[in-house]
Amino acid sequence: MTRTFSTLLLALALTAACGPSGSGDDVTDGPPSDGVLPPILIPGGGATSAPIDGVVNVFVVEPGGSTPVVGAAVHLGGAGGAVQLDATTDGTGLATFRDATITGPQTITATAGGRTAATWLGVPGGNVTIPLARRPAATPMARVTGTIAGWGSLPGPSFGHYTLAVVTYSFTSDPSAADNRIPQPTSGGTPQNTCVNSGLGGSCAWEMNARTGAQLHTAVIVDGDSRGTTDAADDTYTLIGFAAGSPMTLSAGQQVAGESLAIVPAGGRTSMTVQFPAAAPGLGHALAIPMLDTGANGQIVFPLPAVTAASPSTQVLAASGAFAGSYRLVGLATPTATATAPYSSSFVAVANPGSAALPAWLPAPTGVSTAGGTFSFGAGAGTSLAYASFSTGGSPAWVVTVLDGSSSFRLPPISPDPLSGSVTLDVTTVDVADFDPAQFLVTDLTVGLARASGASTTFTR
């Protein structure tokens, strides 16, 4: 009975795209002067100083900041290219390449032990900062247990129905953040961040793995209709209401017991109606996930009831008082209700919840191929840049960022090779407002990200 909700959050996690975006307002641009290009560290990652003319400065840093990764190997040059240069980052995380043959856009690869290799393809700027994530990336989390005050006073469900509450923590503003897809504990296959009354009453005792930082915990309470079957996939939901706690700030490993979520009065809700675009080819199942951005306390997610073209209206918490903020909308299209790829997604700021609209779907990548060591894919119109993530053992081992619109590439030679055995290739294409590969900041992704789409394949290396 909670499988539909689990599918929604899993699919929401699949909309994640990680990489650069395009304002670059805080980056100084410009080519070398008199053969000298002073190195520029770009906090969080990015590129500037185009065009390249004989000098490339590469900083390698921890994701999200300026902490240097010392001793990282940096390779300049694509597979089979005339330029093949290697350097190691110094105590500031800097590797510098000087050679008269280094002109025009370059392929740059950074690697370090215990980290996901990163290749940027078609970098046009001479000052580059590449964030290098740890592998596997550990996601700090806290554990919270609690109840919903007044759960036992809710009207009992009718025959064939059940009352379901799903408790969630508010998301961060970055749709790609691992914080937003923390696995929940289960018991007998049922997520423990839920409460269910199947007509026999009982108390509501939920347990949840939560992210760290400032957040709000909320519950959506719905009436579930089993439709006379034991298959949870065909269940339908009608909103009963919401419950919410008070803002709290959690640290890694912290355990909080006895949080009580108070049921929000009916007057604390408002209606939202979503306009859907035409269906994307091959992606006939589309839904919208409303979110309320409260600022410092994160974005409250409203996963149920499902908002679809056939059922485009729902209710959400009113953006006032303790929930003051602005609305956002995540659109998601997949082949079926249970499929997770291929997919297309969109991210929209909502000024008028009574008339929220999703943009046209960004076509999913097509023709993803791994033939003969050449990796190819087709990107739909409107794509700003693309990512190819190679995963082994369930976590990314090598991520290629395609900045120049290429539809095929070969991996540059690095040693040791991080890929072996069975490899999953996830290709993500994104539409980022005002993206300029000659000058961008990685940390601007969440500001400009408008649409993303993806497809996957597997191969053996």
Side-chain angles (χ1 to χ4, degrees):
M1 61 185 61
T2 59
R3 193 176 90 186
T4 300
F5 168 72
S6 300
T7 300
L8 289 182
L9 286 194
L10 175 59
L12 181 58
L14 286 174
T15 67
C18 53
S21 75
S23 75
D25 293 340
D26 299 323
V27 180
T28 302
D29 198 10
S33 175
D34 300 326
V36 177
L37 181 65
I40 298 174
L41 172 64
I42 305 169
T48 187
S49 305
I52 293 175
D53 187 11
V55 182
V56 176
N57 299 311
V58 181
F59 282 96
V60 181
V61 299
E62 296 280 356
S66 302
T67 303
V69 177
V70 179
V74 182
H75 181 80
L76 185 72
V83 176
Q84 301 289 333
L85 301 173
D86 292 282
T88 302
T89 57
D90 62 16
T92 67
L94 173 65
T96 296
F97 301 89
R98 291 188 177 89
D99 192 299
T101 62
I102 305 174
T103 59
Q106 299 293 315
T107 295
I108 303 172
T109 300
T111 62
R115 296 176 183 268
T116 300
T119 294
W120 288 12
L121 182 66
V123 182
N127 270 306
V128 185
T129 300
I130 298 178
L132 213 56
R134 296 184 182 274
R135 181 178 188 258
T139 304
M141 66 180 72
R143 181 81 165 209
V144 185
T145 64
T147 189
I148 296 176
W151 172 259
S153 300
L154 293 173
S158 59
F159 179 76
H161 289 235
Y162 54 91
T163 303
L164 167 68
V166 180
V167 182
T168 59
Y169 58 85
S170 55
F171 282 11
T172 67
S173 60
D174 181 359
S176 71
D179 287 351
N180 295 337
R181 51 183 188 271
I182 294 174
Q184 293 303 315
T186 61
S187 176
T190 299
Q192 290 185 273
N193 62 324
T194 61
C195 293
V196 180
N197 177 5
S198 298
L200 301 177
S203 61
C204 172
W206 52 264
E207 299 183 25
M208 179 173 63
N209 293 331
R211 65 178 177 86
T212 59
Q215 57 195 273
L216 273 166
H217 300 156
T218 58
V220 58
I221 306 171
V222 295
D223 173 80
D225 182 354
S226 65
R227 301 173 64 85
T229 75
T230 58
D231 182 3
D234 65 1
D235 291 8
T236 58
Y237 301 95
T238 302
L239 182 70
I240 294 175
F242 300 100
S246 299
M248 66 173 63
T249 299
L250 300 178
S251 57
Q254 183 176 355
Q255 298 198 28
V256 177
E259 181 181 15
S260 181
L261 306 183
I263 294 178
V264 177
R269 303 181 230 159
T270 191
S271 296
M272 178 178 286
T273 299
V274 180
Q275 300 173 22
F276 282 77
L283 305 177
H285 179 76
L287 55 85
I289 304 171
M291 304 176 76
L292 174 56
D293 188 350
T294 67
N297 292 316
Q299 303 190 59
I300 300 172
V301 182
F302 305 102
L304 293 176
V307 180
T308 66
S311 183
S313 296
T314 190
Q315 287 194 318
V316 295
L317 289 172
S320 61
F323 309 110
S326 57
Y327 294 106
R328 297 188 61 80
L329 199 61
V330 176
L332 193 59
T334 53
T336 65
T338 56
T340 55
Y343 71 88
S344 182
S345 58
S346 56
F347 308 87
V348 181
V350 176
N352 178 11
S355 183
L358 294 173
W361 301 108
L362 182 67
T366 58
V368 179
S369 171
T370 64
T374 296
F375 303 96
S376 306
F377 61 93
T383 296
S384 302
L385 68 161
Y387 310 94
S389 177
F390 298 85
S391 298
T392 60
S395 66
W398 196 337
V399 177
V400 177
T401 301
V402 182
L403 299 171
D404 61 0
S406 296
S407 59
S408 66
F409 62 90
R410 296 179 66 87
L411 292 171
I414 61 174
S415 181
D417 188 340
L419 303 181
S420 63
S422 179
V423 181
T424 298
L425 169 59
D426 296 301
V427 175
T428 304
T429 57
V430 298
D431 171 18
V432 179
D434 302 321
F435 175 73
D436 180 1
Q439 183 168 300
F440 65 85
L441 301 174
V442 168
T443 51
D444 282 344
L445 173 64
T446 54
V447 176
L449 180 62
R451 299 179 297 169
S453 62
S456 302
T457 190
T458 58
F459 64 98
T460 301
R461 182 176 169 96

